[in-house]
Amino acid sequence: MLVHTAMDRAASVARHWASSGCPVVIHIDKSVKRAQVKKLKEALVDHQNIKFCKRHKVEWGTWSLVAATQSAAEMMLKEFPLVRHVYLASGSCLPLRPVNELQDYLASRPRTDFIESATTNDVPWTIGGFDQERFTLRFPFSWKKRRKLFDWYVRFQRRLGYKRRVPPGMVPHLGSQWWCLTRETLQAILEDPERQMYDRYFRRVWIPDESYFQSLARLHSQNVESRSLTLSKFDFQGKPHIFYDDHLQLLRRSDCFVARKIWPKADKLYSSFLSNDPSVTKNAEPNPGKIDRLFSKAVDRRVRGRSGLYMQSRFPRDGFENGKTCAGYSVFEGFTELFEDFETWLFKVAGGRVHGHLFHPKGVQFSGKEAFYNGALSDSAALRDAAPSSFLTNLVWSTRGERQCFQFGPGDEQGVSWFMATDSNAQISVISGAWAVPLFKSSNNFSFIRREAAALQKIEAQHLDILRSQYTNARVRIWTMADFILNPMEPLQIIIDEIAPRGRHRLTEAPKMADLTGFGQFLQDLKNQGMHPYLMGDFPVGDDPRSRPKPGRRPYLVKSTDV
């Protein structure tokens, strides 16, 4: 057992092994204080088959781990001549099945070495480390304590083209640190005539505890079973998963003999598994694959998260989110300007929640003029504009299960345009140029109207360029105002069917359209003042656009863009 912390747990596990007839050799990290070492030895003094080996100052990723394992193994072979298999464990390992089951399992396989051992070409699990280079470069500096020097020396060797020679006759292998070797194989490794050469070579290998025994076992073993009998799971960063009390049933389902890493305060796990209760005897083959699916889901949830839910550990990483929002929502541009009481009509025919202009400069226009909404969202423009995309994401997340619809236009804050355009959950319907209708009905000075129209048209043109971009993932439909009003029922039907497909029905009546008599002359007046209003489409002067002959069966599609 390699021990460096949680001495009370290490003592209880060692006592469990020893009481079940297994001799134990414990290596205590030299960094552990003398008082803790003394306390551990006093707790185990009544067990004659528990020994303590020479101590080494152990550091992750260095030769010291192999040296500690060698010292413990040498004492095991010397002090206990009847041992047939040697099982390497840590202080955070916990037996999951009665020890006699493991004894019987190994007794039926007297010449089998259980050690994960694969060539570097076949190893998919090295994360953020080195594959071939861990054996061809030198690593004399600590990765944890002297990171800058470590990285500099690696770059320096690469620049020189330096490569170490692998000892003749040996093929480097990698695998889990936690193995179970037969006495014959372990003794052959420790008494190899070329051991000094191998030790000298592996002293400068990157993380040698995952390659020293794994490589040398291939030279001396008669039968290698390339798997570990210890259940050890790692996350996407290569860090070990820690098991807690609520993992009790999960660990039982694995049928494994030993698991690591156990949380020191997992009282329920320690009390359940250190009982040697014969009622939990399974006599089953260890099968960690039973729980691999759950770990894969956990890794996926950790890495990708849930669609539309941003967590402190992953935010912000633009472009790496698992879906910008969690559910579909609809954006209407130009509809409230063209139709009277459009929001009430939309709620009646489509349901869901219909808001006003959520990104209005003066404040958020929630449905029902609410000051606060689901998720403690405020109608404050300042709070919203601090992170407009987060505001929209929170709104959709907090109201999931209910379709959200809102208005948008060139008069709104535009900081969310790209976010909506690249969101596959967004359904964006645009009547371009409809922002001119309120100006048409305005009684302001015409020079002011012309300047306002020019500014709004410029903003909407930029917004439409975004919606037509190659990066757009939203469902976008764009009609010019002139095309839309010729036959509004058909595009409205398409939009409603996408919002509420389950309640699909034919629309019998469109919302009441604003009176556009004289709108063509209004546009001509803008032209006469030096502005060119082109986003509305073609409105002849002095003509009611709704009474013009229809150029075809589906005129609203003639100049529409369906991205």
Side-chain angles (χ1 to χ4, degrees), residues 34-45:
R34 292 183 179 180
Q36 292 179 287
V37 175
K38 182 180 179 181
K39 185 177 180 181
L40 175 63
K41 290 183 176 181
E42 289 176 350
L44 300 174
V45 69

Side-chain angles (χ1 to χ4, degrees), residues 78-310:
K78 179 181 178 181
E79 297 290 335
F80 304 103
L82 298 181
V83 166
R84 293 190 306 250
H85 277 87
V86 178
Y87 199 114
L88 179 62
S90 74
S92 62
C93 288
L94 179 65
L96 303 181
R97 293 163 62 174
V99 176
N100 68 290
E101 278 197 52
L102 176 58
Q103 293 170 330
D104 294 342
Y105 185 85
L106 296 176
S108 63
R109 298 161 178 81
R111 296 185 178 277
T112 302
D113 295 288
F114 296 92
I115 180 169
E116 193 174 52
S117 175
T119 60
T120 54
N121 293 329
D122 300 320
V123 171
W125 60 76
T126 51
I127 299 172
F130 304 89
D131 295 327
Q132 295 284 355
E133 285 185 322
R134 68 173 61 201
F135 298 108
T136 58
L137 299 181
R138 290 170 56 86
F139 298 91
F141 304 110
S142 168
W143 181 79
K144 285 197 171 185
K145 292 184 178 180
R146 308 180 76 179
R147 181 79 59 88
K148 289 185 178 179
L149 191 57
F150 179 97
D151 292 338
W152 174 85
Y153 195 57
V154 168
R155 290 193 300 268
F156 177 71
Q157 292 178 89
R158 287 171 175 170
R159 195 179 306 119
L160 290 180
Y162 174 78
K163 285 190 176 182
R164 299 180 69 195
R165 290 184 180 179
V166 177
M170 187 196 76
V171 178
H173 283 67
L174 289 170
S176 170
Q177 175 188 359
W178 313 108
W179 41 255
C180 179
L181 297 176
T182 62
R183 182 185 190 90
E184 292 76 11
T185 299
L186 185 56
Q187 195 160 11
I189 292 174
L190 297 176
E191 297 177 359
D192 192 308
E194 303 294 338
R195 176 178 166 181
Q196 287 188 354
M197 177 186 66
Y198 293 134
D199 288 4
R200 186 167 56 250
Y201 170 76
F202 279 99
R203 280 179 187 275
R204 295 295 179 254
V205 167
W206 173 237
I207 315 181
D209 54 284
E210 294 182 353
S211 58
Y212 180 83
F213 290 98
Q214 293 75 5
S215 300
L216 297 183
R218 291 290 179 175
L219 296 178
H220 300 288
S221 176
Q222 298 180 11
N223 182 24
V224 171
E225 187 92 9
S226 185
R227 62 188 174 101
S228 175
L229 297 180
T230 300
L231 175 65
S232 182
K233 294 294 183 180
F234 296 86
D235 63 14
F236 77 104
Q237 293 178 318
K239 297 179 180 179
H241 280 290
I242 298 176
F243 294 102
Y244 300 91
D245 280 339
D246 52 355
H247 291 121
L248 175 61
Q249 296 304 323
L250 182 74
L251 292 174
R252 281 179 174 167
R253 203 184 315 164
S254 72
D255 293 336
C256 291
F257 290 110
V258 180
R260 76 174 304 269
K261 233 180 168 178
I262 310 298
W263 187 45
K265 296 183 180 180
D267 297 332
K268 188 175 181 180
L269 294 184
Y270 281 98
S271 61
S272 298
F273 289 117
L274 294 184
S275 62
N276 266 340
D277 185 357
S279 64
V280 301
T281 298
K282 296 184 177 181
N283 293 319
E285 185 71 25
N287 187 10
K290 288 183 178 180
I291 60 176
D292 281 346
R293 180 180 59 86
L294 296 175
F295 280 91
S296 298
K297 289 178 65 176
V299 170
D300 186 67
R301 177 60 59 84
R302 170 66 180 84
V303 175
R304 303 188 66 207
R306 284 175 279 181
S307 299
L309 178 62
Y310 292 80

Side-chain angles (χ1 to χ4, degrees), residues 430-455:
V430 183
I431 304 176
S432 67
W435 45 264
V437 176
L439 294 178
F440 165 60
K441 296 181 176 295
S442 172
S443 59
N444 287 327
N445 181 276
F446 199 78
S447 62
F448 169 81
I449 292 176
R450 186 194 66 77
R451 289 194 302 271
E452 188 72 10

Side-chain angles (χ1 to χ4, degrees), residues 1 20 23 31 33 40 114 131 145 192 208 223 263 287 370 372 374 433 503 512 533 535-536 539 556:
M1 286 180 62
S20 302
S31 300
K33 295 180 180 179
L40 175 63
F114 296 92
D131 295 327
K145 292 184 178 180
D192 192 308
N223 182 24
W263 187 45
N287 187 10
E370 299 283 351
F372 295 94
N374 294 39
K512 184 180 179 181
L535 294 179
M536 303 82 179
F539 279 86
Y556 77 97

Side-chain angles (χ1 to χ4, degrees), residues 325 328-336 342-343 346 352-360 364-367 384 388 391-393 395-396 403-409 412-413 416-417 419-420 423 425-429 463 499:
T325 52
Y329 59 94
S330 299
V331 185
F332 293 88
E333 304 184 22
F335 286 79
T336 54
F342 174 76
E343 295 169 15
L346 181 62
R353 186 71 58 169
V354 182
H355 304 279
H357 287 259
L358 292 181
F359 294 92
H360 194 280
V364 182
Q365 298 176 355
F366 287 125
S367 174
R384 175 203 64 201
F391 170 84
L392 178 56
T393 300
L395 174 68
V396 178
R403 183 82 176 198
Q404 301 299 303
C405 307
F406 62 91
Q407 319 305 315
F408 192 76
D412 293 333
E413 296 294 332
V416 77
S417 289
F419 182 86
M420 294 190 301
D423 185 7
N425 282 325
Q427 178 206 28
I428 304 176
S429 305
H463 177 63
I499 295 176

